[in-house]
Amino acid sequence: SQQGEEDPQALSIQEGENATMNCSYKTSINNLQWYRQNSGRGLVHLILIRSNEREKHSGRLRVTLDTSKKSSSLLITASRAADTASYFCATDEGGADGLTFGKGTHLIIQP
Amino acid sequence: DVKVTQSSRYLVKRTGEKVFLECVQDMDHENMFWYRQDPGLGLRLIYFSYDVKMKEKGDIPEGYSVSREKKERFSLILESASTNQTSMYLCASSPSFYTGGHEQYFGPGTRLTVT
């Protein structure tokens, strides 16, 4: 199955700054999801955006989706040290085999 | 509070041993998944199940098998462990595909080392 690709692979910013991560994918999708993984732990679902939506907000998170470019971005505003984690995009292509995950962006928030 | 639990956080096994990784969810979800996660490769789907006694191969099923005898439990079996199966194993569950567009809920992971 084809994967989404996150960009950049790693990102280091100062606390309080905004962090932006991008995801590109290859096929038509029903929805796109973002997950966070703290070191050595399981993944936690952050937000889901459907293919007919262009933007979605949840707290300090803002996700955009451009289906014409097959890309999505995750913006974390006013970053905190606790946001340090890996972030994965996952695409739902509507098939019976669930989600396809990218390789992730490792975000480090410097205090 | 939804919960997916995995039987062990850390496991060390010897080459050739039969290894069982257990996953239990308490959300009455139809779908369950096993992934492995390796540095630089992201999450790769090993097997999934969309109903009791049903199983489907994912992207990398070789060397693995699964069992789902009860709705809440999905087991991953390494028939004869090898060193290249050293990895982080993640279990997840989700509601039925037919209700559409659901997120997956993950367990904490099992870090398996095969020596």
Side-chain angles (χ1 to χ4, degrees), chain A:
Chain A
S1 54
Q2 296 175 324
Q3 286 184 326
E5 292 285 337
E6 289 91 342
D7 171 56
Q9 290 186 328
L11 179 62
S12 180
I13 61 173
Q14 295 293 317
E15 194 168 18
E17 293 180 340
N18 295 342
T20 300
M21 289 158 272
N22 303 297
C23 170
S24 59
Y25 57 91
K26 297 177 183 176
T27 63
S28 297
I29 59 172
N30 278 0
N31 65 72
L32 185 143
Q33 303 176 28
W34 285 91
Y35 289 78
R36 183 187 73 230
Q37 184 181 34
N38 291 93
S39 180
R41 308 292 298 185
L43 277 70
V44 175
H45 179 261
L46 294 176
I47 196 165
L48 180 155
I49 186 165
R50 301 192 186 280
S51 59
N52 61 355
E53 298 175 312
R54 292 296 167 258
E55 188 171 311
K56 203 161 183 181
H57 297 254
S58 177
R60 293 183 297 112
L61 305 180
R62 173 179 168 252
V63 169
T64 62
L65 179 64
D66 186 336
T67 53
S68 66
K69 295 181 179 178
K70 291 187 169 57
S71 68
S72 174
S73 67
L74 171 67
L75 168 68
I76 303 174
T77 60
S79 63
R80 305 168 182 169
D83 294 329
T84 293
S86 291
Y87 292 82
F88 295 86
C89 69
T91 53
D92 180 352
E93 297 161 23
D97 56 355
L99 302 175
T100 303
F101 286 84
K103 296 180 182 179
T105 292
H106 184 53
L107 175 65
I108 297 173
I109 308 299
Q110 308 276 4

